[in-house]
Amino acid sequence: MHRDLAGRLIDEHTLGRLTALADLDPALVVDDFTAPGAAAVLAEAEVIVSSWGCPPLDDAVLAAAPRLRAVIHAAGSVKHHITDACWRRGIQVTSAAWANALPVAEYTVAAVLLANKRLLRIREDYRDRRAPHDWQRAYADAGNYRRTVGIVGASRIGRRVLELLRPHDLDLLLHDPYVDAAEAARLGARRVGLDELCAASDVVSVHAPELADTLHLIDRRRLALMRDGATLINTARGSLVDQDALVRELASGRLDAVLDVTVPEVLPADSPLYDLPNVVLTPHIAGSLGGELHRMAAAAADELARYTVGRPFAHPVLAEDVHRTA
């Protein structure tokens, strides 16, 4: 992991738990398995506690770590460092993706509710007018009562978003090829095709994984299907949306957007997305930020506690599921 990440992840309470559970030195952070001293550490390691920036655990690394039995990932996706060699070796893997999903879902729900309230449009209108106005008449279509929200992907985050939105008087739609109508109903939503979801929703929120077949899942045609004044929220990956087509729609003023992810992740300084008044643009911070990092470290400590007494992980990552997850 990045060398300064451990200090940000682990608060004093979790630090005490981790050091009590295992022979773990929180000051020992390896971000290059070929660096001097890494071989000696790997030779003794039974468990690796990893996070963002962990190098790939390939055949060469595993050969240097004959005692390694488990990887506890104090972050989300394991695709960047858990290799086929790990699965062949039978290494147990767990991830705090569930913990990182919670703040993303909270960010999304806040964005949904404010989007339906027409916050961006009213803010700009009020800023321009700076005077009394008949807001009820001007925004007769605003508000969350009986609005339609479409969720693209019943991922951990997508499911949590549905759970948090259920208490509100919203019509919830869901598109996910792995979810049938009965399961969608249990989640509080109606299963629909993606075209229907885009056409029917006041807000479309993207929560699908980044896969070969999800590239530009929300493409030019599907953006065109969206209602005038609808909002697109993307907290998944920038590649899931045809960004050039989206910029054209946003520049026309027809759609609004809340974007936490883009392509590239840090946009060039001249990108219109920074300045468009109908866009909320954030730098991939919907996930764990600040104190929320401590939840992931606590999740890692919980899994380490289970491992030390021979119990299975509460949140295992399975080889057969990796291909369809973020």
Side-chain angles (χ1 to χ4, degrees), residues 4-16:
D4 64 339
L5 185 55
R8 288 182 277 146
L9 269 172
I10 306 172
D11 61 11
E12 289 299 320
H13 174 71
T14 301
L15 177 61

Side-chain angles (χ1 to χ4, degrees), residues 12 35 58 64 71 127 130 153 165 176 182 201 208 225 280 282 311:
E12 289 299 320
D58 56 20
V71 177
R127 178 183 288 164
R130 305 184 186 219
L165 287 176
D176 189 305
S201 298
L225 290 174
V280 173
T282 53
R311 298 178 64 193

Side-chain angles (χ1 to χ4, degrees), residues 13 19 177-178 202 212 229-230 258 300 309:
H13 174 71
T19 54
Y178 297 99
D202 298 291
V258 178
V309 296

Side-chain angles (χ1 to χ4, degrees), residues 10 33 48 66 101 160 169 175 184-185 201 231 235 242 269 275-276 314-315:
I10 306 172
F33 290 128
I48 288 177
R160 179 63 173 167
D169 290 312
H175 172 76
S201 298
T231 300
T235 58
D242 181 339
D275 300 312
L276 286 168
H315 301 279

Side-chain angles (χ1 to χ4, degrees), residues 160-292:
R160 179 63 173 167
V161 169
L162 287 169
E163 179 184 350
L164 293 175
L165 287 176
R166 276 203 300 269
H168 302 276
D169 290 312
L170 297 164
D171 181 19
L172 302 177
L173 306 181
L174 173 65
H175 172 76
D176 189 305
Y178 297 99
V179 173
D180 61 20
E183 185 177 0
R186 287 193 293 272
L187 294 171
R190 179 165 57 89
R191 183 183 185 272
V192 296
L194 186 52
D195 285 2
E196 180 181 350
L197 182 147
C198 289
S201 298
D202 298 291
V203 178
V204 174
S205 190
V206 182
H207 303 288
E210 184 177 46
L211 306 171
D213 58 0
T214 60
L215 176 67
H216 290 184
L217 185 67
I218 308 298
D219 58 9
R220 177 188 58 79
R221 185 181 64 81
R222 287 182 171 134
L223 289 167
L225 290 174
M226 292 176 62
R227 299 173 174 180
D228 289 357
T231 300
L232 177 73
I233 300 172
N234 188 9
T235 58
R237 290 293 185 269
S239 66
L240 273 65
V241 177
D242 181 339
Q243 190 165 288
D244 290 339
L246 177 61
V247 168
R248 287 193 291 272
E249 291 280 13
L250 295 170
S252 77
R254 199 182 72 80
L255 299 178
D256 296 346
V258 178
L259 305 174
D260 188 52
V261 287
T262 54
V263 178
E265 184 158 292
V266 179
L267 291 168
D270 61 352
S271 171
L273 291 175
Y274 286 116
D275 300 312
L276 286 168
N278 51 336
V279 176
V280 173
L281 180 66
T282 53
H284 203 164
I285 50 79
S288 298
L289 181 70
E292 293 165 338

Side-chain angles (χ1 to χ4, degrees), residues 74-97:
S77 176
V78 302
K79 285 185 175 180
H80 301 293
H81 68 300
I82 299 299
T83 65
D84 288 342
C86 295
W87 303 122
R88 289 194 299 269
R89 171 93 157 253
I91 290 174
Q92 299 178 61
V93 179
T94 180
S95 166

Side-chain angles (χ1 to χ4, degrees), residues 100-139:
N100 196 45
L102 300 182
V104 182
E106 292 163 357
Y107 174 109
T108 301
V109 169
V112 167
L113 298 177
L114 290 175
N116 279 330
K117 202 74 173 180
R118 310 307 298 275
L119 178 74
L120 287 178
R121 307 252 173 173
I122 293 174
R123 180 199 64 182
E124 291 303 302
D125 199 350
Y126 191 28
R127 178 183 288 164
D128 291 341
R129 292 179 186 276
R130 305 184 186 219
H133 185 58
D134 188 348
W135 301 106
Q136 290 289 352
R137 182 174 181 178
Y139 293 91

